[in-house]
Amino acid sequence: MPIYEYRCSQCRRRFSIFWRTYSEAAEGDPTCRYCGASNPQRLISRVRVLRSEESRMESMADPSALGDFDENDPKSIGRFMRKMMGEMGDEGGDLGPEFEEVVDRLEAGQDPEAIEREVPGLAEGLGDTGPGMEPDL
Ligand SMILES: [Zn+2]
């Protein structure tokens, strides 16, 4: 499932669109998920590049090794979540594109709290670390 990133020409916000197929992505008519403006500017996805690098490194590592898991390191959390996703097998399809995007962002080293703010429809409970999670109004 191709994921393309766009920047809205109206409100300047960045967002991702999950296309079902590459041909749909090529012929699709994306609109801004925030303001609905059409013709957003497509961005080269930095996350994709990092992710292929990540999987290359992972293939060299012992797949059973979770010893380096560090809950304060977004990249470590991302690796852990991706392993969980893989182990869930068929049921993993129910997690939805938001979950996939979160893992991508974590692996890219983004701050989990920032991800939670930026990814609409994110499953509740992710990053539920107790105090400090109040919405900033
Ligand atoms: Zn917009």
Side-chain angles (χ1 to χ4, degrees), residues 51-72:
R51 180 173 158 182
S52 59
E53 181 77 11
E54 179 78 20
S55 55
R56 198 153 54 92
M57 287 167 56
E58 196 149 344
S59 66
M60 294 187 292
D62 178 1
S64 67
L66 271 177
D68 64 343
F69 179 68
D70 176 2
E71 65 179 356
N72 294 315

Side-chain angles (χ1 to χ4, degrees), residues 7-13 15 31-37:
R7 185 196 300 280
C8 179
S9 54
Q10 295 296 319
C11 69
R12 310 303 294 172
R13 295 177 85 166
F15 58 96
T31 56
C32 174
R33 73 159 64 167
Y34 298 104
C35 74

Side-chain angles (χ1 to χ4, degrees), residues 6-136:
Y6 300 87
R7 185 196 300 280
C8 179
S9 54
Q10 295 296 319
C11 69
R12 310 303 294 172
R13 295 177 85 166
R14 283 176 61 158
F15 58 96
S16 302
I17 293 182
F18 305 89
W19 301 97
R20 276 173 297 188
T21 66
Y22 282 95
S23 61
E24 186 174 305
E27 297 163 12
D29 184 20
T31 56
C32 174
R33 73 159 64 167
Y34 298 104
C35 74
S38 57
N39 298 318
Q41 177 191 359
R42 190 172 142 202
L43 305 171
I44 303 298
S45 178
R46 189 173 55 88
V47 173
R48 289 279 123 182
V49 177
L50 287 171
R51 180 173 158 182
S52 59
E53 181 77 11
E54 179 78 20
S55 55
R56 198 153 54 92
M57 287 167 56
E58 196 149 344
S59 66
M60 294 187 292
D62 178 1
S64 67
L66 271 177
D68 64 343
F69 179 68
D70 176 2
E71 65 179 356
N72 294 315
D73 177 7
K75 294 183 184 182
S76 184
I77 298 171
R79 278 198 298 273
F80 178 70
M81 287 172 73
R82 183 168 298 285
K83 280 201 173 73
M84 277 178 17
M85 242 177 0
E87 284 164 15
M88 280 189 269
D90 295 339
E91 296 172 39
D94 295 331
L95 291 167
E98 288 85 2
F99 190 90
E100 178 83 19
E101 179 174 356
V102 168
V103 174
D104 281 343
R105 286 169 179 255
L106 285 169
E107 288 182 335
Q110 290 190 21
D111 175 24
E113 288 192 22
I115 295 170
E116 214 167 33
R117 283 194 298 273
E118 290 173 14
V119 181
L122 189 59
E124 291 177 20
L126 181 78
D128 183 13
T129 53
M133 296 307 294
E134 296 85 3
D136 38 18

